Amino acid sequence: MTNALKHKPTTRAGVMVTGGGYQGKTETGCEILATFEDTWLELRRHLNPDAVAGARDLHIPVAYVQTPVTAKPKSLCKAILNFYGAPIHPRMDLPELIRQVAASLHDHGTRALLLDDITRLRLHRADDQDTLDLIRAFMSMHVTLVLIGVDIPGSGLLREGRHDPRTGQVIFPSSRQAKVHGLEATQTERRFDLVELDHFRYDTDEQITAWIDHLTGVEAQRRLMNAPSDMLTGGRMPEYLFERTNGVVGLLERLIEDGCQEAIDSSEECLTESLLEGIAITVDGDTARDPGAGEIPVVPASVNSGPAAGPRSAKRKRPRNTVLDDHGPAAENTGT
């Protein structure tokens, strides 16, 4: 909001959101930006005073773009233009694409640009270095950059930066890279707020309380016929769910969704430890995520997978049907 209210032709500070895979970074970022968008639209009465003819009805305060797996400056520009549905001529060179991106950001009144999976950039590749320089050049286009990625400090994206203890921000020295067609990425004094989202932990009373509070919120949205009021928060269930997911909210979501589907199919209509033991948490087949960028987390082994496991855990675990659960009618019948 602070950046959006600025009118001076100055570089806008950015935000980086980091954490492990499946920890809710994208969902959190999108939720916050959606709240900002609603506030901004109400503030401006849903009008963009700077809109040009043909774009007045396409006021888009927030843009979301996923970083291409093999990112190049051209492919990133095209990904941004595809978000707006802007025409892209196959013969457009990079300077033309950059001008088109700047025009789209301005004409649609975009105040925040979220670039997801930013750690897909590998700085040992020249194309990725040029892409990162281009991203920093976007900071001069009167837009707030929100970069989301897995373990940003360990990815090398900040290896040239230093942490300023006074402001709590990251300061970049002057760029040593070549100019990106006239839009050099002058990194001096360009700052990013680094926000880290960690997984839940189960060591102290405060951490356990936070985990149970989260389970309480999840529990309130279940619609199973035989579910008790403390289905996820009573007895040993909080500890069991933590052991199965290591406190990673994305893994918890998958386990609960698949468990609800199994509970409905079996007419048990309740999530129990024995039922969840028959559910396998599978994330390896998620083609939308890049394992090389750390987007696939390590799934803890089943709690009762050892020799002492009971007869239920010896049963072959039911895998996830991603097509039905995520995109088909079954998604409406999982009790979620």
Side-chain angles (χ1 to χ4, degrees):
M1 180 60 75
T2 300
N3 284 350
L5 294 173
K6 289 181 179 179
H7 294 282
K8 297 187 298 181
T10 56
T11 299
R12 305 293 191 259
V15 178
M16 287 184 174
V17 182
T18 183
Y22 278 78
Q23 287 182 191
K25 302 179 300 301
T26 299
E27 185 173 352
T28 300
C30 289
E31 188 72 22
I32 293 173
L33 286 175
T35 302
F36 161 74
E37 183 174 69
D38 291 341
T39 304
W40 185 254
L41 290 174
E42 289 294 329
L43 180 66
R44 308 304 289 268
R45 298 183 179 181
H46 290 255
L47 296 176
N48 177 17
D50 299 323
V52 298
R56 187 169 298 279
D57 295 332
L58 296 176
H59 186 192
I60 307 175
V62 175
Y64 172 90
V65 177
Q66 191 173 39
T67 305
V69 175
T70 54
K72 297 181 180 180
K74 280 189 174 182
S75 64
L76 179 62
C77 287
K78 290 178 180 179
I80 296 174
L81 294 176
N82 285 334
F83 172 84
Y84 292 104
I88 304 175
H89 194 278
R91 294 186 179 180
M92 292 179 70
D93 58 17
L94 182 57
E96 291 174 323
L97 289 170
I98 293 175
R99 285 193 293 269
Q100 184 72 5
V101 168
S104 294
L105 293 171
H106 175 269
D107 294 347
H108 293 85
T110 301
R111 292 294 180 267
L113 172 61
L114 190 156
L115 296 178
D116 201 2
D117 298 324
I118 191 63
T119 45
R120 290 179 175 179
L121 299 180
R122 307 288 196 278
L123 295 189
H124 64 277
R125 297 191 297 233
D127 287 337
D128 293 44
Q129 293 178 23
D130 292 340
T131 302
L132 183 59
D133 282 344
L134 176 61
I135 290 173
R136 289 169 182 159
F138 289 158
M139 300 175 76
S140 300
M141 296 183 182
H142 301 174
V143 63
T144 299
L145 285 185
V146 180
L147 309 181
I148 296 180
V150 174
D151 188 19
I152 290 179
S155 68
L157 294 179
L158 301 180
R159 64 184 178 184
E160 295 182 342
R162 62 179 178 84
H163 185 265
D164 186 346
R166 183 178 59 85
T167 63
Q169 296 172 317
V170 175
I171 303 176
F172 291 97
S174 299
S175 175
R176 298 178 181 176
Q177 303 298 328
K179 295 183 179 181
V180 183
H181 295 271
L183 287 177
E184 68 271 25
T186 306
Q187 301 173 31
T188 305
E189 298 303 321
R190 292 191 178 180
R191 299 176 177 181
F192 281 93
D193 285 329
L194 185 63
V195 180
E196 183 172 2
L197 297 183
D198 199 1
H199 62 86
F200 283 95
R201 300 185 184 275
Y202 208 82
D203 299 323
T204 66
D205 291 341
E206 292 78 7
Q207 293 171 348
I208 294 174
T209 299
W211 174 246
I212 294 178
D213 286 345
H214 180 72
L215 293 179
T216 301
V218 176
E219 186 177 67
Q221 301 179 45
R222 301 309 99 188
R223 295 296 182 267
L224 296 174
M225 300 296 293
N226 299 326
S229 58
D230 61 347
M231 180 177 64
L232 301 181
T233 57
R236 187 182 174 276
M237 186 60 79
E239 182 179 355
Y240 170 78
L241 293 174
F242 184 85
E243 292 172 347
R244 285 294 308 272
T245 64
N246 198 30
V248 177
V249 293
L251 299 182
L252 175 68
E253 180 181 10
R254 287 215 164 193
L255 179 62
I256 296 300
E257 286 179 354
D258 295 349
C260 286
Q261 183 64 58
E262 174 67 15
I264 293 172
D265 292 344
S266 64
S267 299
E268 191 168 338
E269 291 289 341
C270 180
L271 294 180
T272 63
E273 184 174 334
S274 60
L275 182 142
L276 293 176
E277 270 299 293
I279 303 297
I281 304 177
T282 55
V283 296
D284 294 338
D286 192 341
T287 57
R289 297 176 182 264
D290 181 12
E295 296 170 15
I296 302 295
V298 176
V299 179
S302 177
V303 178
N304 297 323
S305 59
R312 175 83 189 201
S313 60
K315 176 183 175 181
R316 182 179 180 183
K317 291 181 179 293
R318 170 175 171 164
R320 179 182 180 88
N321 189 327
T322 303
V323 176
L324 288 179
D325 288 349
D326 289 345
H327 304 290
E332 301 175 2
N333 299 320
T334 58
T336 57

